[in-house]
Amino acid sequence: MIIESLCAKDTFELGKRLGEQAKAGDVYCLSGELGVGKTEFTKGFAIGLGITEPISSPTFTIVQVYEEGRLPFYHFDVYRIADIEEMDEIGYEDYFYGEGVCLVEWAGMIEELLPENKKNIRIEKDLQKGYDYRRITLD
């Protein structure tokens, strides 16, 4: 499915709708270049889960845990993973196969660790359609 986002608010709202539909054990893999709106999408996703605390990208901590929503939310950013064994050190299996919802930014870097039933979301710019335009592909 391809969704066109014309502004950051559209991207946020799509994230919110998917967060409202998320179920325990879901793993969402979010990809796209720097600056395409992954964090905006994630903020909406968290709101959809009922999380009201500020959301920030866990670039240096790898995973940020939010527990105030209707399900625990585990937000991963694996952009700075130097060695896949770092995921073992943080106990990724407890998150991926637990009772919460995972959203993994830059998931392609740890592809071999991801569950088969993951949900892929790709955000892309198309400057010919405008600076704020995003094509969001859901698999």
Side-chain angles (χ1 to χ4, degrees):
M1 172 187 293
I2 295 176
I3 296 166
E4 294 183 315
S5 170
L6 303 178
C7 62
K9 185 175 191 284
D10 290 349
T11 302
F12 177 95
E13 289 297 326
L14 175 60
K16 181 180 174 190
R17 284 194 308 275
L18 290 177
E20 290 169 346
Q21 297 169 12
K23 300 180 300 297
D26 284 350
V27 176
Y28 291 82
C29 298
L30 187 56
S31 63
E33 298 300 317
L34 290 170
V36 296
K38 293 184 299 293
T39 301
E40 195 64 25
F41 176 92
T42 303
K43 288 177 180 179
F45 192 89
I47 292 290
L49 287 169
I51 296 165
T52 58
E53 67 183 279
I55 302 297
S56 60
S57 189
T59 302
F60 296 101
T61 58
I62 302 175
V63 64
Q64 181 69 43
V65 176
Y66 302 92
E67 295 185 341
E68 73 166 289
R70 65 180 177 82
L71 293 168
F73 177 43
Y74 310 120
H75 179 202
F76 288 81
D77 183 336
V78 297
Y79 183 75
R80 298 199 187 281
I81 290 275
D83 185 335
I84 202 155
E85 290 178 8
E86 290 178 57
M87 293 298 291
D88 287 328
E89 293 171 12
I90 64 167
Y92 78 92
E93 289 177 325
D94 293 337
Y95 298 109
F96 287 2
Y97 301 101
E99 293 300 313
V101 176
C102 294
L103 188 144
V104 184
E105 294 187 40
W106 302 98
M109 299 181 77
I110 59 164
E111 186 70 34
E112 60 268 31
L113 300 179
L114 296 167
E116 286 185 30
N117 62 344
K118 66 188 181 298
K119 298 168 185 349
N120 295 306
I121 302 165
R122 176 151 188 82
I123 304 176
E124 301 170 286
K125 290 182 182 182
D126 185 344
L127 294 176
Q128 292 180 341
K129 293 189 176 187
Y131 179 77
D132 292 327
Y133 176 87
R134 301 293 187 265
R135 180 183 312 108
I136 303 173
T137 306
L138 307 174
D139 295 336

